[in-house]
Amino acid sequence: MRSCLNSLLVKIENNVLTVIGDVTEDKAVTVVAYAAADASKTATKIFTIKNYVEPKVEITTQRNTITYGETITLSVNVVGLEQKAVAWVVSDSSLIKVDNNVLSVLKEVDVDTEVTIKAVSVENQNVYAEKKIIVKAPSSFGSISIATSKDTIAEGETIMVAATVTGLKDIGYTWKVSHED
């Protein structure tokens, strides 16, 4: 005769113990073996049934764009593994780095550039998460404005106009005039 206490969680068939129930938390399960010739002869074994969680790594950030001179704090969550430490891998180590979960840009780029950061579990290198980040070129954030004392001008009149460039390496500008015929 074979018996298993807490049989909603496990079963024994052909000497194989299998978890069959939904394990929402770690549980102790007692398994009792009875001798067929004498049921008073028993052996008891307690097993711990672990709540299995699929191992995964998750990366979260406040934003997915960064420019030279800025930093992004990366939050990493390791689930289903004992060790919570990760190793950071970046797609372009000449452009970005991650140190103590802080992403920084090492140099300016001329055009917006997509990079990938990867958090790899130290315990199991097959468990990792990736996140795409856009390193923005300075011109992506630049602007130009025109300041003048008035918007209407009469024939023979002159007014001062000035352009102001902000957020770009080169703050020079040129003028182009067009009018309706």
Side-chain angles (χ1 to χ4, degrees), residues 56-60 75-79 119 128-129:
K56 67 180 174 179
V57 174
E58 301 167 320
I59 303 171
T60 54
S75 297
V76 64
N77 186 29
V78 178
V79 178
Y128 61 89

Side-chain angles (χ1 to χ4, degrees), residues 5-139:
L5 303 178
N6 207 344
S7 61
L8 296 175
L9 283 178
V10 297
K11 70 177 181 176
I12 297 178
E13 288 181 356
N14 301 319
N15 296 332
V16 176
L17 178 68
T18 305
V19 176
I20 58 170
D22 184 24
V23 182
T24 57
E25 60 186 18
D26 293 357
K27 297 259 186 192
V29 173
T30 304
V31 175
V32 180
Y34 297 89
D38 182 352
S40 68
K41 306 295 183 203
T42 63
T44 303
K45 177 75 177 172
I46 297 175
F47 292 91
T48 300
I49 308 302
K50 297 292 243 172
N51 175 17
Y52 178 76
V53 175
E54 184 72 32
K56 67 180 174 179
V57 174
E58 301 167 320
I59 303 171
T60 54
T61 63
Q62 297 115 344
R63 61 188 196 281
N64 296 323
T65 62
I66 188 171
T67 190
Y68 180 68
E70 296 179 329
T71 60
I72 297 177
T73 300
L74 305 169
S75 297
V76 64
N77 186 29
V78 178
V79 178
L81 296 171
E82 294 292 322
Q83 293 183 28
K84 303 303 180 189
V86 296
W88 290 99
V89 178
V90 297
S91 61
D92 186 347
S93 60
S94 71
L95 180 57
I96 60 170
K97 74 174 182 172
V98 177
D99 191 26
N100 294 321
N101 293 1
V102 176
L103 173 71
S104 55
V105 180
L106 302 174
K107 62 183 179 183
E108 286 188 350
V109 292
D110 294 327
V111 296
D112 293 356
T113 305
E114 183 179 82
V115 293
T116 303
I117 55 173
K118 186 175 183 179
V120 181
S121 164
V122 172
E123 182 178 333
N124 180 346
Q125 293 185 355
N126 293 321
V127 179
Y128 61 89
E130 292 182 336
K131 187 151 193 78
K132 304 274 187 207
I133 301 287
I134 303 293
V135 178
K136 301 291 272 182
S139 61

